[in-house]
Amino acid sequence: AAYTGMLAVWGDRVDRGQVVSARAWAMALAGRIREAAAQGDTAVALQPLGSGVQAPYVAYLRTRIDLIAGDRRRAIERLAGILRYPAHLSLGWIRIDRTLAGVRDEPGYEALLQ
């Protein structure tokens, strides 16, 4: 409910995807995975990679939703996309981020870190 009010005030600002992705992440944490995935996709469409400094973070939250949903392959694909853009989400960050533990045993994860 709080995000609905926030989005009403946010309007059509360029970085609206950041608020939409935060709402999607909250839905995922609440167990509303399908809704979270849909909202996350909306956020990524609003702020696709390459569209600004917040775009990698928007994609990162969508990646975390993939992990909660059990889609490890898609999470690794998203991480690879994120790493193509300069952001705080560097290889070093991905190596130490505990929230990404769910992909560390995936074959593509090690290749991602190379």
Side-chain angles (χ1 to χ4, degrees):
Y3 284 110
T4 300
M6 212 181 314
L7 284 166
V9 175
W10 207 262
D12 291 331
R13 293 186 205 167
V14 173
D15 51 356
R16 179 182 174 87
Q18 180 181 353
V19 178
V20 174
S21 66
R23 177 171 62 177
W25 178 236
M27 287 176 169
L29 293 174
R32 296 166 53 186
I33 305 304
R34 286 191 189 122
E35 290 173 276
Q39 284 293 299
D41 291 342
T42 297
V44 169
L46 288 168
Q47 275 185 272
L49 286 168
S51 69
V53 297
Q54 291 300 326
Y57 182 70
V58 169
Y60 172 68
L61 286 181
R62 184 62 182 92
T63 300
R64 292 171 76 190
I65 294 167
D66 287 333
L67 286 173
I68 287 176
D71 193 346
R72 295 169 155 198
R73 181 195 54 80
R74 185 65 182 127
I76 289 173
E77 289 172 1
R78 285 188 203 277
L79 287 172
I82 291 166
L83 289 172
R84 291 187 194 110
Y85 296 89
H88 77 284
L89 297 163
S90 64
L91 279 175
W93 179 262
I94 288 172
R95 280 187 185 104
I96 65 169
D97 185 350
R98 293 180 188 165
T99 66
L100 300 175
V103 295
R104 290 204 173 111
D105 60 347
E106 291 294 312
Y109 181 76
E110 284 302 318
L112 178 73
L113 297 179
Q114 301 307 319

